[in-house]
Amino acid sequence: MPNSPLPDGDTLVLLHNPRCSKSRAAHALLTERGVAFAERRYLEDPLSRAELAFLRERLGRPPSEWVRSGEAAFAAAGLGERSDAAALLDAMAAHPILIERPILVRGARAVVGRPPERVLELL
């Protein structure tokens, strides 16, 4: 597997969409606690296919559990319930709006912040 450009070690990276209330809430939780973290606005700075594959490993969950299947881009990409992991990751790389948010990454682990308090699991 290729090396991920997402940081390793203890660096925290919040995959953030400031237009999303859950993402803003996770950002606020970290900020209120004085936690140092990098913010990556993944709609403006999309994750590569390799980063998404590495993120899958860090989450320990199949892409079907962190893809936004209700987005118009999901159907437009020809995806459905039976789409395999590779097709989902390809679609998320092409259409970052399909990535569930927020996601906090730290080293070899990551969590989807739904509810936003889940991000605290990595502190």
Side-chain angles (χ1 to χ4, degrees), residues 3-85:
N3 290 334
S4 168
L6 289 170
D8 289 327
D10 275 347
T11 302
L12 288 167
V13 177
L14 181 67
L15 301 178
H16 182 53
N17 176 356
R19 297 186 65 187
C20 169
S21 63
K22 302 286 187 209
S23 197
R24 287 192 310 270
H27 190 287
L29 282 170
L30 295 171
T31 302
E32 289 164 5
R33 284 167 174 72
V35 175
F37 65 96
E39 175 184 315
R40 181 163 175 185
R41 295 185 179 194
Y42 65 91
L43 293 178
E44 299 163 20
D45 181 12
L47 279 73
S48 69
R49 176 62 168 75
E51 286 176 301
L52 288 164
F54 210 77
L55 186 59
R56 174 188 182 188
E57 302 236 341
R58 291 172 174 191
L59 285 166
R61 297 168 58 190
S64 60
E65 292 183 11
W66 47 280
V67 66
R68 297 178 57 84
S69 59
E71 294 286 340
F74 186 84
L79 299 173
E81 266 182 38
R82 297 183 203 194
S83 295
D84 65 16

Side-chain angles (χ1 to χ4, degrees), residues 62-116:
S64 60
E65 292 183 11
W66 47 280
V67 66
R68 297 178 57 84
S69 59
E71 294 286 340
F74 186 84
L79 299 173
E81 266 182 38
R82 297 183 203 194
S83 295
D84 65 16
L88 294 173
L89 292 174
D90 288 345
M92 285 189 267
H95 308 282
I97 193 71
L98 294 175
I99 301 169
E100 187 60 89
R101 68 233 178 198
I103 296 177
L104 186 65
V105 180
R106 181 181 211 167
R109 295 185 55 219
V111 295
V112 175
R114 296 231 167 215

